[in-house]
Every structure is written in structure tokens, then in C-alpha cells.
Amino acid sequence: MNSIYARACLRVSLVSLLVLSSQSGLAAQETMQSADDEALEGGYVKLGLGYRASTPNRARDHQGSGASAFINARYQLANGLFAELTNYRMLNDGTRVGYNFYNPDGWNFDVITLKAHQSLDFPGWHNNKPTVHYRKSTQMLGVRATGSFNKTTVQFSWAPYSFNREYDDGMFASLWVDQSFQYKNWQMYANTGLVYRSEEIINYYFGVPEEIASYMFPAYSTSSGTEVSAEIGALYPISQHWMFETYFKYSHMPRSINNSPWVAMFNKAENRDGHVSELGILVSFVF
């Protein structure tokens, strides 16, 4: 059932992308000029300090609430090579390098590396002794299409090749729609997205193999799953280079992850349900 649901969500994502692309593309022809390689050269760095309050789920990392450093940066060379780093925005979260190879009106197409999942570790038993089961992070290679139309951004990523050699190649796909608004000096945004991970990826992180299964953590084999996420945020310029920011983001994990014995035990102990949320407040410097 989870596999059928995941495939249905992925089909909806693809159809939504095509519909949004066709509708937004008509408006883009009237309101935007063609993006050329020179317009994409250069970049920016935004460094911030602030506080984040989160309700972590073992489907994520161990980061909880407290003072934090924030970064959002991008730089592209004239030949199309680029690097990106973001550790608090959901859209393009993580570290990526890529090559921008095609820029029709309102669109950017890239070959890109992306993180399909961060590293995790879980408590467990092996040979009747307590131990920690560690899972490496997964970097993948794929393609990304980003369409920008007035104040709306649509992005689709598809990655079929994994650099993690501990399991057979899986598939990662995501669809995001981001909308920004302006009210006096406040810039506000809202986005929502679907993140699909195939059975191979989810089973590597959240499955319990027979050889390490125990009474507390019985054997468990997962299916594919689709994560549903949303984020809202606001930015206010304090000066030419300083900016105040705040955001709230929410993700609901698929049942294939929440039903994992490792995740279920943690959520029960911490009185969590199958979601991850985070509120952040920061002051950032842009250069």
C-alpha cells in the first residue's frame, strides 16, 4: 500500500510540474527576458546567527533547540560550474555542486549533486551486546529544473544515481513551489513540496536487517515513501548588508519511515508524532 501511495504521489508531482510550467511559462513570455549565462555568474554569501527551536524526529539528525549558525550561499563561474550551501531553507537544503547547461526563458537546467539523506545512527543489539548502528549520508547525481516567474519559483529534481556504495542505487525526486510576497519593507515567502525516496534508500536507513534484529527492534523491511513539507518565512532589511529573518518549517514523514522500530521507539519515548518542525530567528550579514 505504501508503495502504491508513493508512486501516486510521484505521478501527481510530475503532473503538477507540467501544469505549473505551462501556466507560468505564458506569463513569463510577457514579463521576463531570457536568462543568459552572464546573468547567472557570480553569487552571494549570507551568514547568520540566531536561535532555532525544533521538534526532532529520528528520521532527521540529532539537532535540537539552541543557538545556531546559519548559512545560505551560492557562486557560479562563467563556464556554468556552481556550488550552493544552505542549512536552514528547505528549498535547496544541503551542499550541492553542479553544472548549469541550459537556460531558456525563465528556466535554469542543471546537472547537480544533492543529498538524498543525512547520516543517522540508532541504538541496537548485536551478538547480545548493545551497539550503535551507523548509516552514512547519501549523495546523489541527477538533474534539476528551476523556473522563475515573477514572484513564483517552481523546481523539480530527479536523481537516479547514488554515491553510497552500501546499497544498490535508489531514486530521489522532489517537487517544490515557492511564492514570495512584498509588504512595505518586509519580504515574505511560502513554499510547499514533495520529496520522494525509493525503497532502496529508505530501507538502508530505517530497515532492520534480520542479522541485527532483536526483541526491542524486530526485523523490518520498508517500502518507498513521500515526505510532504511546507515552510513560511519573512525577511526585513536592517541596513544595506544586515537582515532580520524568521521562518517556520514542517515536514510529515511517510509511514514507511514512521513504522520503523527505531523511529517508532524514539517517537514514543519523546512523545512525538510523525512530523518534524522547526522555528528559527536570526540576524544575517549579506555580502
Side-chain angles (χ1 to χ4, degrees):
M1 182 63 69
N2 289 344
S3 179
I4 295 174
Y5 169 78
R7 290 196 297 268
C9 287
L10 187 58
R11 293 191 187 102
V12 169
S13 301
L14 294 170
V15 172
S16 300
L17 176 66
L18 293 175
V19 172
L20 287 167
S21 300
S22 61
Q23 291 177 343
S24 301
L26 296 176
Q29 293 177 3
E30 300 176 356
T31 60
M32 299 187 64
Q33 296 180 346
S34 176
D36 54 29
D37 291 339
E38 293 182 358
L40 297 173
E41 291 178 31
Y44 63 89
V45 177
K46 182 162 61 174
L47 301 175
L49 290 174
Y51 183 89
R52 70 175 92 209
S54 61
T55 56
N57 182 299
R58 279 311 273 268
R60 287 282 193 248
D61 55 27
H62 301 283
Q63 185 171 17
S65 301
S68 298
F70 302 81
I71 183 170
N72 187 2
R74 187 182 194 278
Y75 193 84
Q76 179 165 319
L77 301 175
N79 60 8
L81 295 174
F82 66 86
E84 301 171 345
L85 172 59
T86 303
N87 71 349
Y88 66 102
R89 285 296 306 272
M90 295 187 78
L91 189 64
N92 295 335
D93 181 39
T95 302
R96 297 159 305 281
V97 295
Y99 174 68
N100 176 243
F101 65 90
Y102 186 47
N103 303 305
D105 288 353
W107 285 92
N108 297 318
F109 289 88
D110 311 311
V111 175
I112 193 169
T113 64
L114 51 84
K115 183 179 289 187
H117 207 286
Q118 75 284 345
S119 61
L120 287 179
D121 59 76
F122 293 100
W125 293 84
H126 187 62
N127 294 330
N128 296 319
K129 295 181 180 180
T131 186
V132 174
H133 302 294
Y134 179 75
R135 301 291 184 264
K136 296 180 180 179
S137 64
T138 294
Q139 291 285 341
M140 302 193 73
L141 178 66
V143 292
R144 182 179 69 181
T146 305
S148 299
F149 313 103
N150 197 4
K151 295 181 180 297
T152 302
T153 300
V154 179
Q155 186 181 92
F156 176 71
S157 300
W158 175 65
Y161 180 78
S162 170
F163 295 106
N164 190 326
R165 299 302 184 186
E166 295 195 6
Y167 64 92
D168 293 334
D169 290 344
M171 188 184 81
F172 174 93
S174 66
L175 172 69
W176 289 93
V177 179
D178 183 278
Q179 180 69 46
S180 62
F181 313 87
Q182 191 76 32
Y183 177 72
K184 295 185 178 180
N185 287 337
W186 286 91
Q187 180 184 349
M188 295 169 283
Y189 65 87
N191 63 56
T192 184
L194 300 175
V195 177
Y196 171 85
R197 297 178 180 90
S198 67
E199 177 181 340
E200 295 87 351
I201 297 175
I202 294 183
N203 200 55
Y204 170 70
Y205 290 98
F206 303 105
V208 182
E210 290 281 354
E211 59 269 22
I212 63 172
S214 64
Y215 174 77
M216 292 182 61
F217 304 104
Y220 177 71
S221 181
T222 70
S223 61
S224 59
T226 301
E227 177 182 335
V228 182
S229 301
E231 179 183 16
I232 57 174
L235 304 86
Y236 185 87
I238 301 172
S239 64
Q240 181 180 359
H241 295 286
W242 290 94
M243 182 175 297
F244 169 80
E245 296 184 56
T246 184
Y247 66 88
F248 176 77
K249 56 186 181 182
Y250 174 94
S251 294
H252 188 80
M253 299 293 108
R255 284 182 294 177
S256 54
I257 291 178
N258 284 325
N259 288 342
S260 166
W262 283 322
V263 176
M265 186 196 72
F266 174 82
N267 289 344
K268 183 178 180 180
E270 298 292 328
N271 194 26
R272 311 287 190 196
D273 58 16
H275 77 274
V276 181
S277 62
E278 180 177 298
L279 172 67
I281 300 175
L282 63 142
V283 174
S284 56
F285 181 76
V286 184
F287 59 94

